[in-house]
Amino acid sequence: MPQRAASNHVRLGLFVLVGVAILLVTLFLLGRQQNLFSRSLVVQADFRSVSGLLTGNNVRLGGIPVGTVRKIQILNDTTVRVAMNLNRDVQPFVRKNAVATIGTDGLVGNTIINLVASPGPAPAVQAGDVLRTKVPVGIEAILGTLDISNRNLVGITHNLREITGKLNGSTSVWQLLNDEQLPINVRHSLRNVETATAHLDAASRDVLALTRGVRRGKGPAGYLFTDTAFGGRLGHAARQLAGTSDTLAATIGTLKQQLRTEAGPLNTLLVDTAFGRNMRQTMQNVNEGTRGFSQNMEALKHNFLLRGYFRRQQKKQARAALEQGGDSSAAR
Amino acid sequence: MFENSLLDETGATAQFAGRFFREGFRPRYEVAEFLHQCYVVGYQSLPMVGITGFIMGMVLTLQSRPTMAQFGAESWIPTMVGLTIIREMGPIITGLIFAGKIGSSIGAELGSMRVTEQIDAMEVSGTNPFKYLVVTRVLATTLMLPVLTILADVIGLYASYLGINLKGVTTLALFVNNIFSSLTFGDVLPAVIKTFFFGFAVGIIGCYKGYHSNKGTEGVGQAANSAVVVSSLLIFVLDLLAVQITGLLGFN
Amino acid sequence: MSLTPPIIAPQAAPPAAGPATEVVLAVEHVSKSFGENHVLQDFSLALHKGENVVVLGKSGSGKSVLVKCIIGLLPPDAGTITVLGLDVATLDHEAMDRLRARVGFLFQSNALYDSMTVRENLLFPLRRHWLDHPPTQEDELVTQALEDVGLGHTAAMMPAELSGGMRKRIALARTLILRPDIILYDEPTTGLDPVTAREIDHLIREVQQKYGTTALIISHDMNCVRLTADRVALLVDGRCYAVGTYAELQSRDDPRVHEFFA
C-alpha cells in the first residue's frame, strides 16, 4: 500500500467541499426563492382560465415577488383553483379583499399572478382564504375586440365610398348648387312680398278711416251699419284676407329658414330631380300670385274710392249702387 | 479489442458493470486507494476542466452578444448563458474533457497493468484487483465528475460575467440575480444528476477496456483509444436520455 | 489465520536434492483448452517438499498456463490440483487468499507496480495478506528481502529506474517477503542477458537452500534448467512426457527428449 501524502487528502477534501458547498448553496437559494424552506401561507383563488400558469410561477404584490404558485387544480369545467404560497412576511400587506389577476412578465415572459389591493379596509389574509379574481385583459381578448373594430371600419368606409359615388353621379345636386337663377328668384319673390304688405298696410289705413266715419255716424257708413247683411259680408271678406296674408307670411318664413339652414326637407329634396323644377315653378307661381294679389288690392282700393265718389254724388240711387259694390267685393 | 460485434461489446460491458455492482458494495473496501483515485481523478483534473469552463463561459457570452443585441435583449445574456451552462454546456463539456483525460488514462493504466501481469500479481497478493482497481476508479469518476462540473459551471459563469463586462457594465450582484431569477430546481438537479451517470460511464468504460486489454502494448493503445471514443459517445447518448427522462418527469 | 509461522521461524533447509518425503504440490490429469487450442491434456506432476522441479517445454506449449492453473488464476477444465494438501478448485476466495500467501509467484514480466516504489511494491503483498494483523516489523522484513536478492539500496526507487535484472530480483524479493512454502517461477530468465540470467539461477538456488522452499520453475532456457533443476519434467503436446534429473533426460535416446538437449 503506497503512502499518500497527507496534503493530498487535504486538497481533495477542499476540492470536494467547495463543490458540494456550491451545490448546496445554490439549491438553498433556489429553495428560498421557491419558498420551499421558509414557512409560508397558502391562499387560494378561482379563475376561469389561468392562461398557461405553471406550478412554481411567481406571485407578485405591487410588482414584488411575494410567493409562488403551489398547486393548480381544475374544480369544474369553468373554474380553476390556484393555491399560492405567500411569504409570511407579506401577510399583513395582503388584505382579504385583494384581487388576484393573471398576468405576464413582459410581453412574452412567464405567466404570473398579480395581487392588487382593493380600496376599503379589510383584515389581513389568513391561510386558506379564497381571494377574489378579475378576468384579465388577455392579449387574445384585445385582439378579438380589435377584429370587430376592424370589420366595422371596413363597413364604414364601404358606405362612405357608396355615398361619395352617388353624390358624384347625381346631376340634380350639382344643378341645384350651380343654379344661379334660384337665389335671384327668391330675392325677387321676397321683394314682391314686400310690396304686397305695403299695399296691405295702405288698405288697412283706409279701413281705419272708414271706421272713423262710421263712428261719426254720418254718410254712407251710417247706412252701412244699418244694413246687417252687408256688414256680415264685409266681415267675411276681411277674415279671408287676414287668413291669406297669415298663410303667406308663414310660408315665406319657412322658406327663408330653409334657405338659411339647409336642413330638414331640403336634404331629401336634393336627390329629387323633379323637385328642382317644381321649386322654380312654385317660386314663379308665388311671384305671380303675389303680383295678382297686389293688383287685386289696387282694384279694391279703387272700388272703395269710386264708391265713395258715387255716394257723395248719387244720393238717391244709393241702395242700388251699394248692392253693386257689395257684389263686386263679394266676388273678390 | 477483438473483432467483436457491437452487441458483444455492449453485453460484456454491461456484465462488467453488473460485476461492479455485485462486488463494489461488499467488503473489503479499498478506502485509501479510493481516496487516492479521487485525488487523481478529481483534484488533478481541476485545472484542465477549469480552463475549459472558463473559455466556454467567455465564448458563449461573446458569441451570443451580437445576436442578442439585434433583438435588443442584451440584458437577457446572463440568463441565457447561465441556463445554457448549467443545464447543458457545463455537464457535457466537462464530461467530454473528463472522458478524454481520465477515460484514456484509466484505459491505458489498467491496460498496461493487464499486459505486464500486474493485475494477476495483485490477485496472487491477496487482493481482489477488481475491487482494488476497478471499483475505486469507477466510484471516483462517478463522484468526482459532478464536483468538477459544478466547479466548471461556476468558473464558466464567472467568465461569462467577465465577458459581459468587456463590452458593457454589469454588477456581479445583478448578474447573479439575473441567473437565479430564471433558475429552478428543474434546471439544476437533472443537470447534476446526469453528471453522476456521465462519470460512471467514463469510469466503467475506461476500466472495462483496460481490464480486458490483452494484445500486448498494442492493446494498451487500443484500450486507451476506445475508452475515450466509447465513453464520449456514451455521454452523448446518456445526455439524450437525460433530456427525455427529465422531460417525461416534467422538469423541462 | 494460520499463516504466522513462515515469518517468524524459517524452516531449516532440507537436503538440496534428497529423496522426496512429502508431496506439497500435486497436479493430476489436468486439461485446459482455449477454444480449439488444447494446451494441457491430462497433465500430471508431483512436487516433493524442498525440491526444484523445472517444467521444460517449447514456447507456447502451455507452461505458463500450468502455473496459472496451480495458483488459481485460471481454472482447469478437468483434473485436480492439490497445493499444500488443499484442492485448489474447492477453495473459496478467502481460503484461496490464505493459500496464496504461502505460494509465491514470480511473473515472467515481473509485474512490479509501476506507480509504487520498490519498498511499496514489497509491502503490498505483505500488507494485503496480513491486513487483519499488520506485521510490526515491516522495515526489517523489507530490508531482509532486499538483502536476500542483493539490492538493499533500492528501497526508495521506482521500478522504472531499475534494469531488467534488478527488476527480476525485486520481483523475487516481493515473493520472498512472505516466506512462501512454494515458489512458482514463470520463465525467470527470459529476456535477460546470459550473465544476469546466471545470477538469477544462482539466486533461485540460494533461496531454495536458505529457506527450504519447494520450487516449480517454468523455462525453456537449458542453462537455467541445468543450474536450478533437481528434476526436470518435459511438457510435450500438453502432457508430461518425461520426468527425471537433468542428467537422466540428457542421456535418453528418445528423439522428442533429445531435441531439447541438443
Side-chain angles (χ1 to χ4, degrees):
Chain A
M1 184 71 51
Q3 281 143 352
R4 313 296 187 198
S7 64
N8 285 5
H9 288 279
V10 174
R11 286 183 210 155
L12 176 65
L14 199 67
F15 165 78
V16 172
L17 271 182
V18 169
V20 171
I22 288 170
L23 179 66
L24 287 182
V25 167
T26 305
L27 292 181
F28 174 74
L29 287 178
L30 286 179
R32 206 175 60 175
Q33 190 178 310
Q34 296 181 11
N35 300 318
L36 284 195
F37 304 130
S38 65
R39 291 183 309 128
S40 63
L41 173 77
V42 180
V43 297
Q44 297 170 323
D46 294 342
F47 294 93
R48 243 187 124 76
S49 159
V50 292
S51 311
L53 191 75
L54 294 172
T55 306
N57 276 139
N58 280 326
V59 177
R60 292 186 183 169
L61 172 67
I64 299 168
V66 294
T68 53
V69 174
R70 172 202 180 96
K71 200 168 79 177
I72 301 171
Q73 62 181 125
I74 299 178
L75 285 192
N76 57 47
D77 56 347
T78 55
T79 313
V80 180
R81 170 155 292 183
V82 175
M84 295 167 264
N85 280 334
L86 297 187
N87 291 344
R88 284 272 175 196
D89 315 342
V90 299
Q91 186 180 11
F93 305 112
V94 182
R95 305 280 167 185
K96 275 186 193 294
N97 64 357
V99 177
T101 58
I102 304 277
T104 50
D105 187 2
L107 197 58
V108 290
N110 284 327
T111 310
I112 56 173
I113 290 185
N114 284 310
L115 298 181
V116 183
S118 297
V125 76
Q126 295 299 323
D129 283 353
V130 178
L131 297 179
R132 285 190 296 139
T133 57
K134 207 168 70 183
V135 178
V137 184
I139 285 190
E140 273 172 42
I142 293 173
L143 289 180
T145 316
L146 210 59
D147 186 42
I148 294 169
S149 306
N150 271 337
R151 246 180 286 151
N152 290 345
L153 208 60
V154 169
I156 290 168
T157 50
H158 191 70
N159 291 346
L160 263 179
R161 202 189 58 190
E162 272 181 6
I163 289 169
T164 50
K166 265 185 192 162
L167 274 177
N168 280 338
S170 159
T171 47
S172 61
V173 172
W174 294 113
Q175 264 176 18
L176 193 66
L177 286 175
N178 290 334
D179 196 346
E180 288 169 5
Q181 198 65 39
L182 186 67
I184 294 168
N185 286 348
V186 169
R187 221 174 297 139
H188 195 64
S189 41
L190 282 175
R191 217 175 302 135
N192 287 344
V193 167
E194 201 180 342
T195 31
T197 49
H199 289 160
L200 254 181
D201 187 37
S204 65
R205 233 176 293 137
D206 285 346
V207 170
L208 186 67
L210 199 65
T211 48
R212 269 203 207 109
V214 170
R215 216 175 285 155
R216 262 184 262 124
K218 295 256 171 77
Y223 175 74
L224 267 179
F225 270 102
T226 59
D227 189 345
T228 48
F230 174 76
R233 280 194 196 131
L234 192 68
H236 183 69
R239 267 199 303 278
Q240 278 192 334
L241 201 66
T244 311
S245 68
D246 275 352
T247 314
L248 200 68
T251 310
I252 289 163
T254 315
L255 209 64
K256 243 198 233 169
Q257 200 183 3
Q258 282 186 355
L259 273 175
R260 217 179 12 245
T261 60
E262 302 177 16
L266 200 65
N267 263 351
T268 54
L269 300 181
L270 289 178
V271 287
D272 194 350
T273 333
F275 181 75
R277 255 196 324 273
N278 290 348
M279 184 82 167
R280 223 177 306 144
Q281 189 71 47
T282 311
M283 295 313 283
Q284 267 163 16
N285 289 349
V286 170
N287 214 350
E288 272 171 22
T290 47
R291 205 186 299 133
F293 185 66
S294 174
Q295 278 172 359
N296 287 344
M297 292 311 287
E298 195 74 32
L300 188 66
K301 202 161 100 184
H302 283 289
N303 240 358
F304 269 101
L305 289 173
L306 277 174
R307 203 173 303 150
Y309 248 53
F310 283 131
R311 292 273 161 80
R312 261 173 274 153
Q313 295 190 351
Q314 301 173 352
K315 287 177 186 178
K316 294 244 173 137
Q317 290 173 330
R319 188 169 296 180
L322 196 65
E323 278 188 13
Q324 202 185 347
D327 280 351
S328 70
S329 87
R332 280 294 96 104
Chain B
M1 310 280 123
F2 304 106
E3 303 295 28
N4 270 350
S5 74
L6 178 69
L7 289 179
D8 272 2
E9 276 295 274
T10 311
T13 312
Q15 210 175 8
F16 192 76
R19 189 175 167 196
F20 167 80
F21 287 110
R22 272 201 313 280
E23 297 196 12
F25 301 101
R26 269 189 260 150
R28 65 194 179 209
Y29 305 114
E30 310 285 356
V31 179
E33 179 64 12
F34 166 69
L35 289 179
H36 176 68
Q37 286 304 325
C38 283
Y39 177 77
V40 171
V41 160
Y43 184 83
Q44 293 190 343
S45 301
L46 186 57
M48 179 109 172
V49 164
I51 290 170
T52 321
F54 188 88
I55 293 172
M56 169 183 70
M58 181 71 88
V59 168
L60 266 180
T61 307
L62 297 182
Q63 290 278 36
S64 61
R65 172 177 283 276
T67 314
M68 297 297 267
Q70 272 185 346
F71 295 104
E74 278 157 301
S75 62
W76 282 85
I77 293 178
T79 310
M80 199 201 73
V81 172
L83 280 182
T84 311
I85 288 179
I86 290 170
R87 287 186 71 125
E88 196 50 52
M89 294 309 279
I92 202 96
I93 297 276
T94 312
L96 291 179
I97 291 292
F98 195 72
K101 184 180 188 297
I102 300 302
S104 65
S105 89
I106 288 179
E109 188 183 7
L110 293 201
S112 67
M113 288 183 82
R114 168 61 73 193
V115 299
T116 58
E117 299 178 300
Q118 289 178 51
I119 292 179
D120 286 338
M122 281 190 177
E123 180 125 32
V124 300
S125 298
T127 298
N128 184 339
F130 194 88
K131 280 181 179 166
Y132 189 83
L133 297 173
V134 175
V135 173
T136 55
R137 278 168 174 75
V138 173
L139 273 181
T141 57
T142 307
L143 297 178
M144 287 302 110
L145 183 56
V147 178
L148 280 171
T149 305
I150 291 165
L151 293 177
D153 283 356
V154 171
I155 292 168
L157 290 177
Y158 184 71
S160 171
Y161 165 70
L162 293 183
I164 287 173
N165 275 315
L166 283 183
K167 289 185 182 176
V169 179
T170 309
T171 62
L172 192 58
L174 177 61
F175 181 82
V176 171
N177 259 337
N178 268 342
I179 292 173
F180 267 98
S181 66
S182 60
L183 209 59
T184 62
F185 281 113
D187 298 317
V188 177
L189 286 183
V192 172
I193 289 168
K194 72 181 173 188
T195 57
F196 282 96
F197 289 92
F198 292 176
F200 180 77
V202 170
I204 208 83
I205 297 290
C207 286
Y208 170 77
K209 294 294 181 188
Y211 205 74
H212 291 279
S213 142
N214 54 3
K215 269 190 183 171
T217 43
E218 189 195 348
V220 176
Q222 277 180 5
N225 182 37
S226 60
V228 176
V229 172
V230 174
S231 54
S232 301
L233 194 65
L234 199 54
I235 282 176
F236 281 115
V237 173
L238 285 173
D239 198 40
L240 182 66
L241 269 178
V243 169
Q244 293 297 322
I245 290 171
T246 49
L248 282 180
L249 295 177
F251 279 126
N252 278 353
Chain C
M1 282 274 182
S2 58
L3 300 165
T4 36
I7 301 176
I8 311 303
Q11 293 149 318
T21 50
E22 180 191 353
V23 174
V24 293
L25 194 155
V27 179
E28 287 157 0
H29 312 296
V30 164
S31 298
K32 179 73 184 173
S33 306
F34 295 100
E36 290 303 302
N37 182 17
H38 304 291
V39 179
L40 294 177
Q41 283 177 312
D42 197 22
F43 184 92
S44 296
L45 181 68
L47 265 69
H48 300 281
K49 190 173 172 62
E51 71 172 344
N52 279 359
V53 176
V54 174
V55 175
L56 183 61
K58 294 178 192 167
S59 290
S61 60
K63 307 186 297 289
S64 289
V65 172
L66 175 65
V67 280
K68 285 186 177 173
C69 283
I70 291 168
I71 201 70
L73 289 174
L74 289 173
D77 295 338
T80 54
I81 297 169
T82 312
V83 180
L84 297 171
L86 299 167
D87 184 351
V88 172
T90 63
L91 296 179
D92 64 6
H93 219 279
E94 278 182 31
M96 181 62 96
D97 276 348
R98 281 200 294 274
L99 177 62
R100 280 168 178 168
R102 303 171 66 189
V103 180
F105 196 121
L106 186 68
F107 286 91
Q108 186 176 348
S109 54
N110 307 327
L112 293 179
Y113 307 121
D114 303 321
S115 56
M116 307 178 195
T117 64
V118 167
R119 179 187 152 82
E120 287 166 347
N121 261 290
L122 262 59
L123 285 175
F124 187 87
L126 193 64
R127 287 185 178 164
R128 306 301 294 188
H129 277 302
W130 279 277
L131 210 64
D132 300 326
H133 306 283
T136 48
Q137 64 278 52
E138 273 178 3
D139 289 339
E140 294 153 43
L141 287 169
V142 169
T143 310
Q144 177 68 49
L146 284 176
E147 278 172 2
D148 282 345
V149 297
L151 290 172
H153 60 288
T154 58
M157 295 170 83
M158 298 298 282
E161 300 172 60
L162 304 174
S163 70
M166 289 164 87
R167 265 182 264 172
K168 185 67 76 183
R169 288 169 189 236
I170 298 296
L172 183 56
R174 189 176 65 180
T175 309
L176 287 176
I177 198 166
L178 289 174
R179 303 286 156 80
D181 299 327
I182 302 169
I183 298 178
L184 306 175
Y185 296 90
D186 189 3
E187 310 246 0
T189 56
T190 303
L192 298 175
D193 64 88
V195 177
T196 314
R198 296 296 80 74
E199 288 171 11
I200 298 298
D201 293 337
H202 288 298
L203 202 54
I204 291 170
R205 273 287 184 206
E206 279 174 31
V207 167
Q208 183 202 15
Q209 283 160 7
K210 184 168 181 183
Y211 296 115
T213 53
T214 315
L216 180 66
I217 301 157
I218 303 295
S219 186
H220 57 252
D221 177 355
M222 292 316 293
N223 285 320
C224 169
V225 175
R226 185 166 43 83
L227 287 170
T228 58
D230 296 324
R231 283 196 299 150
V232 178
L234 275 183
L235 177 62
V236 179
D237 296 336
R239 293 168 202 281
C240 186
Y241 189 77
V243 182
T245 61
Y246 184 84
E248 278 169 23
L249 289 178
Q250 197 178 26
S251 58
R252 275 200 198 175
D253 282 342
D254 189 329
R256 304 193 72 165
V257 176
H258 194 70
E259 67 184 357
F260 285 99
F261 295 88

PDB file of all heavy atoms in Angstrom, chain B residues 4 17 24-25 31 54 91 118 136 142 209 238 252:
ATOM      1  N   ASN B   4     -15.020  -8.099 -32.205  1.00  0.00           N
ATOM      2  CA  ASN B   4     -16.326  -8.386 -31.637  1.00  0.00           C
ATOM      3  C   ASN B   4     -17.383  -7.478 -32.223  1.00  0.00           C
ATOM      4  O   ASN B   4     -17.119  -6.349 -32.596  1.00  0.00           O
ATOM      5  CB  ASN B   4     -16.302  -8.168 -30.119  1.00  0.00           C
ATOM      6  CG  ASN B   4     -15.918  -9.432 -29.404  1.00  0.00           C
ATOM      7  OD1 ASN B   4     -15.844 -10.497 -30.011  1.00  0.00           O
ATOM      8  ND2 ASN B   4     -15.657  -9.306 -28.115  1.00  0.00           N
ATOM      9  N   ALA B  17     -20.268  -3.981 -15.739  1.00  0.00           N
ATOM     10  CA  ALA B  17     -20.940  -3.031 -14.851  1.00  0.00           C
ATOM     11  C   ALA B  17     -21.711  -3.784 -13.774  1.00  0.00           C
ATOM     12  O   ALA B  17     -21.731  -3.379 -12.608  1.00  0.00           O
ATOM     13  CB  ALA B  17     -21.876  -2.131 -15.650  1.00  0.00           C
ATOM     14  N   GLY B  24     -18.790  -4.217  -5.746  1.00  0.00           N
ATOM     15  CA  GLY B  24     -18.372  -2.896  -5.281  1.00  0.00           C
ATOM     16  C   GLY B  24     -18.851  -2.565  -3.889  1.00  0.00           C
ATOM     17  O   GLY B  24     -18.245  -1.763  -3.191  1.00  0.00           O
ATOM     18  N   PHE B  25     -19.962  -3.170  -3.497  1.00  0.00           N
ATOM     19  CA  PHE B  25     -20.545  -2.746  -2.230  1.00  0.00           C
ATOM     20  C   PHE B  25     -20.400  -3.805  -1.141  1.00  0.00           C
ATOM     21  O   PHE B  25     -21.107  -3.788  -0.158  1.00  0.00           O
ATOM     22  CB  PHE B  25     -22.010  -2.376  -2.455  1.00  0.00           C
ATOM     23  CG  PHE B  25     -22.136  -1.279  -3.468  1.00  0.00           C
ATOM     24  CD1 PHE B  25     -22.499  -1.554  -4.778  1.00  0.00           C
ATOM     25  CD2 PHE B  25     -21.826   0.028  -3.118  1.00  0.00           C
ATOM     26  CE1 PHE B  25     -22.578  -0.540  -5.709  1.00  0.00           C
ATOM     27  CE2 PHE B  25     -21.910   1.044  -4.052  1.00  0.00           C
ATOM     28  CZ  PHE B  25     -22.282   0.760  -5.352  1.00  0.00           C
ATOM     29  N   VAL B  31     -10.508   1.856   0.885  1.00  0.00           N
ATOM     30  CA  VAL B  31     -10.754   3.272   1.137  1.00  0.00           C
ATOM     31  C   VAL B  31      -9.576   4.138   0.726  1.00  0.00           C
ATOM     32  O   VAL B  31      -9.743   5.157   0.041  1.00  0.00           O
ATOM     33  CB  VAL B  31     -11.098   3.495   2.624  1.00  0.00           C
ATOM     34  CG1 VAL B  31     -11.322   4.977   2.887  1.00  0.00           C
ATOM     35  CG2 VAL B  31     -12.338   2.706   2.978  1.00  0.00           C
ATOM     36  N   PHE B  54     -13.839  28.048 -18.220  1.00  0.00           N
ATOM     37  CA  PHE B  54     -13.625  29.488 -18.357  1.00  0.00           C
ATOM     38  C   PHE B  54     -13.813  29.918 -19.805  1.00  0.00           C
ATOM     39  O   PHE B  54     -14.556  30.848 -20.115  1.00  0.00           O
ATOM     40  CB  PHE B  54     -12.217  29.836 -17.875  1.00  0.00           C
ATOM     41  CG  PHE B  54     -11.960  31.310 -17.802  1.00  0.00           C
ATOM     42  CD1 PHE B  54     -12.267  32.032 -16.665  1.00  0.00           C
ATOM     43  CD2 PHE B  54     -11.432  31.984 -18.889  1.00  0.00           C
ATOM     44  CE1 PHE B  54     -12.042  33.390 -16.608  1.00  0.00           C
ATOM     45  CE2 PHE B  54     -11.204  33.343 -18.843  1.00  0.00           C
ATOM     46  CZ  PHE B  54     -11.511  34.040 -17.698  1.00  0.00           C
ATOM     47  N   PRO B  91     -22.209  20.360 -17.980  1.00  0.00           N
ATOM     48  CA  PRO B  91     -22.111  18.901 -17.857  1.00  0.00           C
ATOM     49  C   PRO B  91     -21.474  18.234 -19.072  1.00  0.00           C
ATOM     50  O   PRO B  91     -20.611  17.368 -18.925  1.00  0.00           O
ATOM     51  CB  PRO B  91     -23.571  18.464 -17.710  1.00  0.00           C
ATOM     52  CG  PRO B  91     -24.263  19.633 -17.123  1.00  0.00           C
ATOM     53  CD  PRO B  91     -23.569  20.834 -17.677  1.00  0.00           C
ATOM     54  N   GLN B 118       0.420  -7.212 -13.846  1.00  0.00           N
ATOM     55  CA  GLN B 118       0.285  -6.583 -12.524  1.00  0.00           C
ATOM     56  C   GLN B 118      -1.069  -6.926 -11.905  1.00  0.00           C
ATOM     57  O   GLN B 118      -1.197  -7.018 -10.678  1.00  0.00           O
ATOM     58  CB  GLN B 118       0.439  -5.063 -12.640  1.00  0.00           C
ATOM     59  CG  GLN B 118       1.862  -4.624 -12.949  1.00  0.00           C
ATOM     60  CD  GLN B 118       1.974  -3.122 -13.104  1.00  0.00           C
ATOM     61  OE1 GLN B 118       1.530  -2.376 -12.261  1.00  0.00           O
ATOM     62  NE2 GLN B 118       2.603  -2.689 -14.194  1.00  0.00           N
ATOM     63  N   THR B 136     -12.671   1.199  -7.168  1.00  0.00           N
ATOM     64  CA  THR B 136     -12.205   2.500  -6.678  1.00  0.00           C
ATOM     65  C   THR B 136     -12.257   3.543  -7.784  1.00  0.00           C
ATOM     66  O   THR B 136     -12.692   4.677  -7.558  1.00  0.00           O
ATOM     67  CB  THR B 136     -10.775   2.396  -6.155  1.00  0.00           C
ATOM     68  OG1 THR B 136      -9.951   1.844  -7.190  1.00  0.00           O
ATOM     69  CG2 THR B 136     -10.694   1.512  -4.934  1.00  0.00           C
ATOM     70  N   THR B 142     -17.378   8.514 -10.767  1.00  0.00           N
ATOM     71  CA  THR B 142     -18.804   8.785 -10.578  1.00  0.00           C
ATOM     72  C   THR B 142     -19.020   9.950  -9.610  1.00  0.00           C
ATOM     73  O   THR B 142     -19.898  10.783  -9.816  1.00  0.00           O
ATOM     74  CB  THR B 142     -19.519   7.541 -10.046  1.00  0.00           C
ATOM     75  OG1 THR B 142     -19.215   6.447 -10.903  1.00  0.00           O
ATOM     76  CG2 THR B 142     -21.021   7.737 -10.014  1.00  0.00           C
ATOM     77  N   LYS B 209     -12.272  -1.437 -20.765  1.00  0.00           N
ATOM     78  CA  LYS B 209     -11.340  -1.511 -21.897  1.00  0.00           C
ATOM     79  C   LYS B 209      -9.943  -1.880 -21.418  1.00  0.00           C
ATOM     80  O   LYS B 209      -9.251  -2.684 -22.051  1.00  0.00           O
ATOM     81  CB  LYS B 209     -11.301  -0.167 -22.639  1.00  0.00           C
ATOM     82  CG  LYS B 209     -12.603   0.206 -23.319  1.00  0.00           C
ATOM     83  CD  LYS B 209     -12.922  -0.742 -24.453  1.00  0.00           C
ATOM     84  CE  LYS B 209     -14.220  -0.352 -25.141  1.00  0.00           C
ATOM     85  NZ  LYS B 209     -14.647  -1.350 -26.122  1.00  0.00           N
ATOM     86  N   LEU B 238     -26.317   9.268 -23.154  1.00  0.00           N
ATOM     87  CA  LEU B 238     -26.899   9.476 -21.823  1.00  0.00           C
ATOM     88  C   LEU B 238     -27.537  10.854 -21.725  1.00  0.00           C
ATOM     89  O   LEU B 238     -28.577  11.030 -21.092  1.00  0.00           O
ATOM     90  CB  LEU B 238     -25.820   9.319 -20.747  1.00  0.00           C
ATOM     91  CG  LEU B 238     -25.372   7.897 -20.445  1.00  0.00           C
ATOM     92  CD1 LEU B 238     -24.198   7.915 -19.492  1.00  0.00           C
ATOM     93  CD2 LEU B 238     -26.517   7.101 -19.847  1.00  0.00           C
ATOM     94  N   ASN B 252     -38.826  19.959 -17.631  1.00  0.00           N
ATOM     95  CA  ASN B 252     -38.349  20.863 -18.675  1.00  0.00           C
ATOM     96  C   ASN B 252     -39.276  22.038 -18.850  1.00  0.00           C
ATOM     97  O   ASN B 252     -40.231  21.986 -19.497  1.00  0.00           O
ATOM     98  CB  ASN B 252     -38.205  20.112 -19.997  1.00  0.00           C
ATOM     99  CG  ASN B 252     -36.899  19.382 -20.042  1.00  0.00           C
ATOM    100  OD1 ASN B 252     -36.082  19.556 -19.150  1.00  0.00           O
ATOM    101  ND2 ASN B 252     -36.705  18.543 -21.051  1.00  0.00           N
TER     102      ASN B 252
END
